[in-house]
Amino acid sequence: MKTLLTLLFLTLICFLHHTSAGPVAVEMVVMGACCPGYNQTRIPKARVKHVAMTPDGCTDKAVVVTTVCNKKFCIDPSWIWARNLLKEFKKSTAGSTSPRAPFNRSRC
Ligand SMILES: *[C@@H]1O[C@H](CO)[C@@H](O)[C@H](O)[C@H]1NC(C)=O
Ligand SMILES: *[C@@H]1O[C@H](CO)[C@@H](O)[C@H](O)[C@H]1NC(C)=O
């Protein structure tokens, strides 16, 4: 009886381990620096916490905007608004750790 319980327990652990591996793997893709696609969503600068290009390893180049709610948006890198946003953000963070106005002013 005891061995059966142990076996059951181990099986459960194994099962939990396997099921939790699923969401984690999916999250890695979603939270990863690459973008599965992009569009032209205009995000108010006050809600923008971080702007960066996707890293070199990504097949789809995009401008990745993180909002004050930690939501990431992938923006069309050829869109002039996105290019300007990236430029402006870099300027606003130059020589400081947190972005200056007009960025990161709003609350989540
Ligand atoms: C644009 O993409 C973001 C995710 O990157 C999504 O949340 C938003 O709904 C999309 N907007 C349009 C108009 O497709
Ligand atoms: C954005 O502003 C909040 C306060 O409103 C601050 O706590 C946070 O550190 C800032 N984010 C960054 C990336 O500087």
Side-chain angles (χ1 to χ4, degrees), residues 13-98:
I13 297 265
C14 203
F15 182 74
L16 283 175
H17 203 77
H18 267 280
T19 46
S20 71
V24 168
V26 168
E27 207 169 23
M28 291 280 280
V29 175
V30 175
M31 297 299 288
C34 290
C35 286
Y38 49 73
N39 59 29
Q40 299 194 343
T41 304
R42 208 182 280 256
I43 299 153
K45 286 182 187 132
R47 299 189 65 79
V48 171
K49 196 170 83 171
H50 187 76
V51 187
M53 253 346 249
T54 48
D56 290 340
C58 300
T59 42
D60 264 326
K61 281 232 165 294
V63 175
V64 184
V65 175
T66 310
T67 67
V68 288
C69 299
N70 281 322
K71 209 164 176 265
K72 281 183 167 47
F73 287 90
C74 296
I75 314 293
D76 185 349
S78 65
W79 185 25
I80 200 75
W81 183 85
R83 285 169 182 270
N84 283 337
L85 185 75
L86 183 61
K87 220 192 291 172
E88 220 179 302
F89 184 80
K90 277 192 179 149
K91 223 162 78 186
S92 116
T93 51
S96 86
T97 46
S98 71

